[in-house]
Each structure stands twice: as C-alpha cells, then as structure tokens.
Amino acid sequence: MKQRGYHASVIVTHGGTLCTKCKFKRMIAAIAENAFFTTECPVIVTLENHCKAEGQKIIADTLRGVLGDKLYIPKEGDLITPESLKGKVIIRDKRKDDDKDKDKDDEDEAKVAKKHKRRSKDEEEALAEHLEAAKANIEEEAPEEEVATFLRDLIYVRNTKTKSLKDVTITQLTGKEPFVTSSSWNERKHKKLAGLKVKKGLKKELSAIEHSLHSPGSSEEARPGAMEAWTRSALARVYPAGHRIKSDNYDPSDAWATGCQIVALNMQVTPEDNPLYTNWGFFLRKGGCGYVPKPQFLRESSFEELDQYASGLRTQSLPIKQTLKVNLKSARGWTKGWGMEEAPDVYCVVSIAGGPKQDRGHRKSKTANNTKSPTFNETFSFPLAVPELAVVTLEFWDDDTVSGDDYLGHVSLPVQEVKLARDLTIPLLSESLTLWTKGGGQAFVKVRFDFEEAS
C-alpha cells in the first residue's frame, strides 16, 4: 500500500521482478471496461493479498465501487449455476502463506534446473538476481493478518494450501456452497501431486500403482486418481515454475489431463511457443468463450474408475478410443517470411497435444522445394486415448540448412470440433497468434480430418 498525505492507494506489482507498478483501481477499471464483450462467461480475478486491514478495506471499496453490479457477492443459500454467474466478476483470494510456498517451490525448481542444465553466464547471473530478490521480498514483508471481514465477504473462490492429496474423497457440489476451494501449484509441484513426476525404475512405479489400486486405504501415499477426484469439487491452478526467467512455457497437457481447471501460461510472444499455440487451439472450443467442459469421465466417474484412468495415464497404457487421420494436401499464399531464396523449401510438422502423454506426438512431412504453393498429399495417423482433450497443430517451415529454418506460420485446432470428411482451407497464424500477413499475403493450408473408431 502506498500513502500520499491523507490519500492511500493500493499498488499492484510483482515482487522480485522489474514489473511496472500500477494502481489497483486502474486495473479493476480496465477489467470493468473490457470484460464481457466477447462472452458473458464469468471473469475470475485472483488477489495476491499482501495488505493489512486498511489496504484490504480500500480493495473491497474499490471492487464494489468500480465493478458495481458486475461484482458477484456470495450470499448464504444462493443456488449457483453457470447462468447465474454470467456477466459477473468473481473474486479469488490468494493467501500470503501460499505465496511463500510458491516462491519456495520456484526456488527449488530453479536449483534443480541449474544443477542439470548448462546455462550461459548472463543467464546464471539473471537467475541468481531473480531468486535473491524474491527471497529478500519474502523475508522483509511483515507478518500477514487474516483477511478482513469486508474483503472476505466478497470472496467466492478461496485459495488454501494443499500439500497432500492422500485424504481426498469425491465430493458432489450442490451449488449452494458459500465458497469454492482452490489451490495453486507450480508445474513441478503439480506433477508431483498428480504422480506424473518421473521416478527411477519403471518396475518400482508399476508396483506402487498396482499396490495402491488393490489396497487404496493401506498406503500412506495418495490414491492414483486423487488429483482427478480432488478437482471434481475444487479449482486447481497450475502456473509456470520460477526458473522460466525467459518467459518460456511448459506443456499444459498434463494439467488438463489430470482435471486441473486454471492452467496459467506466460503470454509474452516468443518464437516457436508450441504450448501457447496448443492453449489457443484448446480454447477455440465452445465459440472461444474461455471455458471448456472437462471430458465426461473426469466429471462423473467413480474413484475406482479414476484410479484406473490415472494409473494408465502414468504408465501410458490407456485404451485407444479413436485414431485421427490428418490428410495434409497443400498450402499457398506466402509472399515473404523466408531467407534470400526466390521461393521457400516448405515442410510441415503435424503434432498432437492437450491430452495424455501417450497421445502426444508429431510427424514431419516431405519438403517441397523452391515453391510458394507446396503440394504434399500425405496422411498422418494419431491414435488417441482421450480425443476430448486433443489439439492438432500444423506448423510450416522453410528448410534452410545455412541460416536455420524460417517459421512460416501455424494453425491449432481442437480435434473434437474440426469438421470431418471434407477438404478445409484454413488461414495460418503468425507467432503472435494473429493472421499471417508478412509481405501482404495471407497463407492458407488445405487439409482433411477423419476419425477411425477403435476396433
């Protein structure tokens, strides 16, 4: 909180970084002015609250005053439905204790990365400065008070510390709960809790899974499907680990496959950011409203069925439901974007992401030399265990052995909503997820998708 004379204001920033400070009121005003143009689906605003009582009162007054009727205020006995939350801003409280856990996890992740990955001197120095600043930021802050009543009354999604899932049970929400529970984990912590962290010795891993399936109550560890069960009644937020100082991204597929609802990525535009492409394609579903329903089996299965699914997820042995066939026909429309050659040498990488690890993969086409309108006529097959989560990406490149391959655009699409059994002409996007228009020309790909049911 910053105080000038008799006027105090709340400042939003990111400790340990060079992030520009901004007034909280200005940020909430921006949300109020820009929300609900594309969709009426609710907007969740997370507060990482480091303010004492006076600052919390300013936050509460600002939320009420600026958002007005758009602010959802929980009331005891209300029946909460998707319809009732349309056009509403929902407040999610981020407790300070969780911030400490987050920074500790990030610091541990950075240490591991530093140990196992060689970095340049500049990268090492930048990482060290980042961690030192984050550590100093934690140590210098005063002990946090409990969230004051006037702010607590506005919070519907309440963040809590969840360090273990061994006592999880499936809870069926009624819609009349006074609040929804939520927890945040970095990508590394999520993998550990979900049982996806690589362990030494496959036999040991398989033995542990088999034991927990046959004797789910006898083990000190969580059941295999604990993450999927927990997210039936609580919100899980996963975010990039602290070692990603270049704002690169992790693959969101593991989080989606285990039922996590809020999977945060770095949104800074960087070349070849396939996780960001996958995320963009994933949320094209349902008209791009920003909300995608989980697969039905994650919403309705028994704990035993979730255990079976989770064990298959870990061992990459889930049964195949469908096979996606991608018939890459041709592309056209480039006028610039490659090196000094008169025309590019074009190839395409077709990939699948979004679901279990066993579903993910990529295929590379042949290279069409010296042409702006390549013809491929190749078909690639992808067996899918969870087609509901799959995203297909077609990425085009100019093959250049001298200066390195040049990026020529991509398109990512949710497999469950592509039109089947017909030729589609689809515009390509640039790295920034806008239409490819380098040189004034729009590039397109001609492709056909088909499904083959598992026998």
Side-chain angles (χ1 to χ4, degrees), residues 413-445:
L413 301 168
V415 166
Q416 286 289 288
E417 293 196 3
V418 295
K419 293 183 177 180
L420 302 174
R422 67 180 71 179
D423 290 352
L424 304 175
T425 301
I426 306 170
L428 299 182
L429 303 180
S430 66
E431 300 100 319
S432 59
L433 302 176
T434 56
L435 290 175
W436 177 278
T437 56
K438 287 187 179 180
Q442 174 61 58
F444 295 87
V445 57

Side-chain angles (χ1 to χ4, degrees), residues 178-230:
F179 62 89
V180 173
T181 300
S182 173
S183 285
S184 295
W185 308 298
N186 70 23
E187 57 187 277
R188 178 170 169 260
K189 182 68 172 178
H190 162 260
K191 281 194 173 185
K192 182 178 179 180
L193 286 173
L196 299 177
K197 192 174 181 181
V198 177
K199 296 182 179 180
K200 293 182 179 179
L202 181 59
K203 289 184 178 180
K204 182 178 179 181
E205 172 74 1
L206 292 172
S207 176
I209 292 173
E210 185 178 0
H211 174 73
S212 60
L213 284 173
H214 288 90
S215 307
S218 63
S219 175
E220 289 298 319
E221 295 185 359
R223 291 173 61 167
M227 176 66 73
E228 290 81 356
W230 189 84

Side-chain angles (χ1 to χ4, degrees), residues 67-94:
L67 294 175
D69 292 340
K70 294 180 181 178
L71 177 64
Y72 173 70
I73 302 176
K75 295 180 181 177
E76 188 173 352
D78 277 359
L79 177 62
I80 309 303
T81 66
E83 191 68 27
S84 69
L85 293 179
K86 281 187 175 180
K88 296 295 185 180
V89 175
I90 299 171
I91 303 303
R92 177 176 179 266
D93 173 48
K94 189 74 165 66

Side-chain angles (χ1 to χ4, degrees), residues 57 235 375:
K57 186 175 187 308
L235 291 178
T375 298

Side-chain angles (χ1 to χ4, degrees), residues 56-335:
Q56 292 177 30
K57 186 175 187 308
I58 293 173
I59 290 173
D61 291 343
T62 301
L63 291 171
R64 289 177 181 271
V66 176
L67 294 175
D69 292 340
K70 294 180 181 178
L71 177 64
Y72 173 70
I73 302 176
K75 295 180 181 177
E76 188 173 352
D78 277 359
L79 177 62
I80 309 303
T81 66
E83 191 68 27
S84 69
L85 293 179
K86 281 187 175 180
K88 296 295 185 180
V89 175
I90 299 171
I91 303 303
R92 177 176 179 266
D93 173 48
K94 189 74 165 66
R95 302 295 180 84
K96 184 173 180 182
D97 286 344
D98 294 312
D99 257 357
K100 288 184 178 181
D101 289 338
K102 180 185 74 171
D103 287 314
K104 184 180 184 301
D105 286 340
D106 286 350
E107 187 170 346
D108 291 343
E109 175 76 9
K111 288 178 180 177
V112 172
K114 185 175 180 180
K115 180 179 179 181
H116 294 285
K117 183 178 179 181
R118 187 171 297 174
R119 300 177 182 273
S120 69
K121 184 177 180 181
D122 289 341
E123 288 175 332
E124 293 280 4
E125 291 175 353
L127 179 60
E129 291 175 2
H130 171 81
L131 295 176
E132 197 63 31
K135 183 178 179 182
N137 186 55
I138 296 169
E139 292 175 346
E140 292 173 5
E141 288 168 348
E144 182 65 20
E145 296 179 2
E146 193 69 21
V147 177
T149 302
F150 32 75
L151 180 56
R152 181 179 292 280
D153 290 343
L154 307 182
I155 296 168
Y156 180 58
V157 181
R158 296 187 182 178
N159 212 40
T160 60
K161 291 186 292 183
T162 303
K163 295 184 177 181
S164 171
L165 299 177
K166 67 179 182 178
D167 298 322
V168 166
T169 59
I170 289 182
T171 303
Q172 191 66 38
L173 295 179
T174 65
K176 291 189 176 182
E177 288 76 14
F179 62 89
V180 173
T181 300
S182 173
S183 285
S184 295
W185 308 298
N186 70 23
E187 57 187 277
R188 178 170 169 260
K189 182 68 172 178
H190 162 260
K191 281 194 173 185
K192 182 178 179 180
L193 286 173
L196 299 177
K197 192 174 181 181
V198 177
K199 296 182 179 180
K200 293 182 179 179
L202 181 59
K203 289 184 178 180
K204 182 178 179 181
E205 172 74 1
L206 292 172
S207 176
I209 292 173
E210 185 178 0
H211 174 73
S212 60
L213 284 173
H214 288 90
S215 307
S218 63
S219 175
E220 289 298 319
E221 295 185 359
R223 291 173 61 167
M227 176 66 73
E228 290 81 356
W230 189 84
T231 55
R232 287 272 286 273
S233 58
L235 291 178
R237 172 179 170 264
V238 183
Y239 57 90
H243 73 277
R244 297 186 181 277
I245 59 177
K246 290 185 175 181
S247 293
D248 58 326
N249 275 310
Y250 64 102
D251 188 343
S253 303
D254 283 334
W256 292 333
T258 53
C260 297
Q261 301 94 336
I262 305 174
V263 185
L265 296 177
N266 288 314
M267 299 304 292
Q268 296 90 332
V269 175
T270 58
E272 305 174 44
D273 195 344
N274 289 83
L276 202 57
Y277 303 163
T278 298
N279 185 77
W280 189 89
F282 188 81
F283 285 100
L284 283 179
R285 292 178 60 192
K286 303 302 176 184
C289 71
Y291 285 78
V292 173
K294 290 184 189 181
Q296 186 175 2
F297 72 87
L298 284 177
R299 304 194 309 266
E300 300 178 1
S301 296
S302 67
F303 212 143
E304 289 70 24
E305 290 169 327
L306 292 178
D307 281 340
Q308 293 288 343
Y309 165 74
S311 65
L313 194 67
R314 298 179 187 185
T315 57
Q316 301 182 45
S317 58
L318 294 170
I320 301 301
K321 292 181 181 178
Q322 295 174 312
T323 295
L324 175 68
K325 292 185 176 295
V326 182
N327 184 352
L328 177 64
K329 294 180 176 291
S330 61
R332 60 179 173 82
W334 290 288
T335 56

Side-chain angles (χ1 to χ4, degrees), residues 338-341 398 400-406:
W338 58 93
M340 302 298 293
E341 301 87 351
D398 167 39
D400 193 333
T401 56
V402 177
S403 59
D405 294 359
D406 300 303

